[in-house]
Amino acid sequence: MYKVLVIEDDVMMSNMLSMYLSEEGYQVEQADCGEEGLHKAADFVPDLILLDLILPDLDGMEVCKQIRETSNVPIMILSMKSEVSERVQALKAGADDYLCKPFSMHELTARVEALIRRSHTVQAEMNEKKEVTSSIGPSELIQLDANRRLLIVRGQRVETTFSEYELIKLLMAHPGKVFSREELINAIRGFDSFVTDRAIDVHIVNLRKKIELNPKEPRLIKTVWGFGYKYVAEPAM
């Protein structure tokens, strides 16, 4: 049974989500504030988190960032805010999906199922392959730890979002190949959600911050102007 954590201060909304997801076969825990949500995220170890942006104590974006520091669990933002800028901020904070209120419960459960399925399918594939590694020269500066879904950068473990991990895995598996933004969107879209060209650019910026010696002058993830991006498997001298 998959586990879902609902971090939502609106009691009626939280109870409705809990009831509906429970009827769909999920084990659900509820938290009505950011601090409680952070504690339950650590103790309950959910397969997915539904997170409201407006909470009584902590800002939802901050909760998302703190969860992302220690976990790559899929996070879906639930919010009344529909502006593109809010969605971009959510991506930067580490969210994997964004659903505007009011929403259909059928759409919610479809997205929940898609995110969890995608996460566990990838994990299963990686466990079969054990470890997928891309080397940069003899020192192996950049690696992917498949079992823990971690990015290893110059010997240091680096946390990534689910989408960031999928992108870097794809790029590293095909060094030198130029991927269009559309191809990258299709690679991380489990269900038709808010993944856009802009979202891909944000993910690439975040990945460069994590793997490049100088993100402003990237040597590993190269921009192919007017088309997309490619990974260069060469030492970052």
Side-chain angles (χ1 to χ4, degrees):
M1 180 182 293
Y2 292 132
K3 300 186 291 184
V4 177
L5 173 61
V6 178
I7 307 177
E8 166 69 72
D9 67 323
D10 184 324
V11 177
M12 185 176 296
M13 172 64 75
S14 183
N15 287 341
M16 181 174 63
L17 290 168
S18 179
M19 180 181 68
Y20 197 90
L21 290 169
S22 295
E23 290 176 352
E24 292 293 315
Y26 296 98
Q27 181 182 349
V28 183
E29 284 282 336
Q30 297 167 265
D32 61 9
C33 65
E35 287 293 347
E36 183 184 9
L38 290 171
H39 287 301
K40 287 195 173 182
D43 297 336
F44 183 51
V45 193
D47 295 284
L48 180 135
I49 294 175
L50 298 178
L51 174 63
D52 185 22
L53 283 184
I54 302 177
L55 298 169
D57 53 350
L58 297 175
D59 178 75
M61 293 290 190
E62 179 59 30
V63 174
C64 186
K65 289 178 182 177
Q66 290 193 36
I67 292 172
R68 193 53 75 218
E69 287 176 0
T70 58
S71 172
N72 58 10
V73 59
I75 298 174
M76 182 189 297
I77 298 294
L78 306 178
S79 177
M80 294 289 293
K81 301 177 180 179
S82 60
E83 296 86 356
V84 173
S85 60
E86 289 293 332
R87 298 182 178 194
V88 171
Q89 284 299 111
L91 274 175
K92 290 182 177 179
D96 295 283
D97 203 351
Y98 192 109
L99 191 58
C100 294
K101 300 177 183 178
F103 48 78
S104 159
M105 282 296 179
H106 290 296
E107 180 179 8
L108 172 78
T109 53
R111 292 193 184 197
V112 166
E113 180 183 351
L115 280 173
I116 292 177
R117 181 178 65 246
R118 185 176 65 183
S119 175
H120 284 265
T121 297
V122 170
Q123 185 64 57
E125 290 174 353
M126 288 185 169
N127 286 338
E128 290 177 2
K129 295 177 182 178
K130 293 193 176 178
E131 186 171 295
V132 177
T133 303
S134 178
S135 300
I136 303 179
S139 57
E140 294 187 335
L141 299 181
I142 311 295
Q143 297 177 318
L144 293 180
D145 184 328
N147 292 324
R148 294 177 294 174
R149 285 184 60 80
L150 285 174
L151 181 62
I152 311 297
V153 181
R154 299 171 187 89
Q156 300 296 315
R157 294 186 300 177
V158 176
E159 292 288 345
T160 62
T161 67
F162 185 91
S163 297
E164 289 169 1
Y165 190 92
E166 289 303 295
L167 285 177
I168 191 63
K169 184 186 78 170
L170 178 64
L171 291 169
M172 290 174 67
H174 303 279
K177 174 179 169 59
V178 180
F179 287 90
S180 68
R181 286 178 174 83
E182 183 178 357
E183 289 176 308
L184 296 176
I185 288 172
N186 290 334
I188 65 173
R189 176 185 285 157
F191 183 79
D192 188 17
S193 58
F194 74 111
V195 184
T196 63
D197 285 4
R198 174 59 179 152
I200 293 297
D201 292 340
V202 171
H203 287 317
I204 294 296
V205 168
N206 289 338
L207 280 171
R208 281 173 171 166
K209 290 177 181 178
K210 295 175 180 181
I211 73 171
E212 300 281 2
L213 290 174
N214 182 359
K216 294 183 179 180
E217 296 182 5
R219 300 294 300 272
L220 301 175
I221 301 179
K222 293 280 194 177
T223 299
V224 179
W225 296 106
F227 191 78
Y229 299 96
K230 67 178 179 179
Y231 181 79
V232 181
E234 296 177 355
M237 302 300 291

